[in-house]
Amino acid sequence: MSTLAHTMMTTARSADSGLANPGEIDRYPYADTPVGGRAGAPVWDTDPELGRAGRRTAGSRGRGLHGQLVQQLGQMIVSGDLGADRPLVPEEIGQRFEVSRTVVRESLRVLEAKGLVSARPNVGTRVRPVSDWNLLDADIIEWRAFGPQRDDQRRELCELRWTIEPLAARLAAGHGREDVQQRLSDMVEIMGHAMGQGDALTFARADCEFHSLLIQVAGNRMLEHLSGIVSAALQVSGGPATGCERPNETSLAHHGQIVEALAGGDGEAAEAAMSQLLMVHPVVPAPREH
């Protein structure tokens, strides 16, 4: 195995040393059915483990109270626990999560930038309709993937990837950079070794880099801008590009075929191999790596 492959495998294992099981990540606790017709005070107690925002570790991604509050409020908005029936009152939020007005204010600004809420004089801060949300935002992709809209999010991610990635593979075949070719080959090698070791998390990390790199070298800046969306889609799928819960020989073989087609400058073959890869299994949402 190459030095890069060995380093990536070692790093992946070190990053997970604090988990009960390799690759085990907490899921977000959403209701199984959509919520509608809510009125009155917001339902703050959807997660009994969140008595205080500062106590939340899973999902915080090291972003402190501000990041944790953004995460929790975002999940509650997307799941329907916070709706447009009444304003979001900063004082109530601060008291509920035991955080300062500054933390609440900055968190609401982040949510406003994502299109989830709007703040207006004499009206207050209110949740905006789904049509105003930035649905390409990585956090919103994750929140939708574990909320009542999970099925729609899964379908939309599949359709978006089927549109973007085969084209990116075709275009990437015209950019024969040796360093990129080697990097893609390394990722396939890492995936193969990880599969043999039963290391699904390392497989997923290498897979994510493979697909992101492929889009970035397609030579189309607008496609390159979408590489983050593909990364988010892979991260919420919790596994390889095919979305299957366990890496398998079929998905690995398709990755290898893509690399071979790129090396030969065969855009049609690269496009066909990518299409086959994406159609092996539907994407099944699973927790994003933290």
Side-chain angles (χ1 to χ4, degrees):
M1 180 168 35
S2 67
T3 301
L4 173 63
H6 181 271
T7 300
M8 189 167 181
M9 292 282 288
T10 302
T11 302
R13 293 196 183 97
S14 298
D16 295 317
S17 58
L19 297 175
N21 297 303
E24 180 178 328
I25 307 172
D26 291 338
R27 291 183 178 273
Y28 295 117
Y30 284 103
D32 290 333
T33 56
V35 180
R38 302 196 176 214
V43 183
W44 295 110
D45 296 318
T46 55
D47 186 349
E49 296 180 359
L50 284 171
R52 173 182 171 89
R55 296 191 189 110
R56 174 128 175 125
T57 54
S60 67
R61 291 196 283 276
R63 296 179 298 186
L65 287 176
H66 166 259
Q68 294 174 46
L69 186 58
V70 168
Q71 185 83 355
Q72 176 65 4
L73 292 178
Q75 292 174 27
M76 294 177 75
I77 290 171
V78 170
S79 68
D81 287 316
L82 289 179
D85 54 320
R86 67 189 300 271
L88 302 182
V89 182
E91 290 77 9
E92 291 181 2
I93 296 174
Q95 292 174 5
R96 173 63 183 86
F97 294 103
E98 301 180 26
V99 295
S100 69
R101 289 178 59 88
T102 299
V103 171
V104 174
R105 184 169 56 250
E106 292 302 316
S107 298
L108 291 176
R109 286 178 180 173
V110 171
L111 296 175
E112 185 173 16
K114 296 176 183 294
L116 292 177
V117 302
S118 61
R120 297 179 182 178
N122 303 321
V123 175
T125 301
R126 290 184 176 273
V127 174
R128 300 174 69 176
V130 177
S131 58
D132 292 341
W133 298 356
N134 179 8
L135 297 180
L136 300 183
D137 180 90
D139 283 330
I140 294 180
I141 288 175
E142 175 184 349
W143 298 333
R144 291 185 73 213
F146 301 104
Q149 304 170 36
R150 59 171 67 89
D151 291 337
D152 287 340
Q153 180 68 98
R154 176 175 55 190
R155 173 182 53 79
E156 290 165 3
L157 286 173
C158 284
E159 292 171 350
L160 185 62
R161 293 190 61 202
W162 289 336
T163 301
I164 294 173
E165 295 196 69
L167 173 60
R170 172 188 282 271
L171 295 176
H175 300 268
R177 290 172 47 185
E178 292 185 4
D179 57 334
V180 173
Q181 183 69 31
Q182 182 58 52
R183 186 72 177 178
L184 290 171
S185 297
D186 286 340
M187 293 305 103
V188 175
E189 182 181 0
I190 291 169
M191 285 187 280
H193 190 271
M195 185 173 65
Q197 297 295 316
D199 188 350
L201 182 57
T202 297
F203 189 104
R205 286 173 171 167
D207 180 56
C208 185
E209 180 168 347
F210 180 97
H211 288 266
S212 296
L213 181 60
L214 191 64
I215 292 176
Q216 291 168 18
V217 299
N220 184 305
R221 291 185 177 180
M222 295 189 72
L223 277 179
E224 182 178 349
H225 186 70
L226 298 176
S227 64
I229 301 170
V230 173
S231 295
L234 286 164
Q235 288 166 346
V236 300
S237 74
T242 59
C244 54
E245 295 183 354
R246 295 182 178 84
N248 60 58
E249 293 287 351
T250 301
S251 63
L252 185 64
H254 287 317
H255 281 87
Q257 291 168 5
I258 293 170
V259 171
E260 292 177 3
L262 295 178
D266 191 338
E268 291 186 3
E271 181 178 22
M274 179 62 76
S275 296
Q276 292 172 353
L277 171 61
L278 295 176
M279 294 179 67
V280 171
H281 293 283
V283 173
V284 178
R288 186 164 78 173
E289 178 184 326
H290 298 299

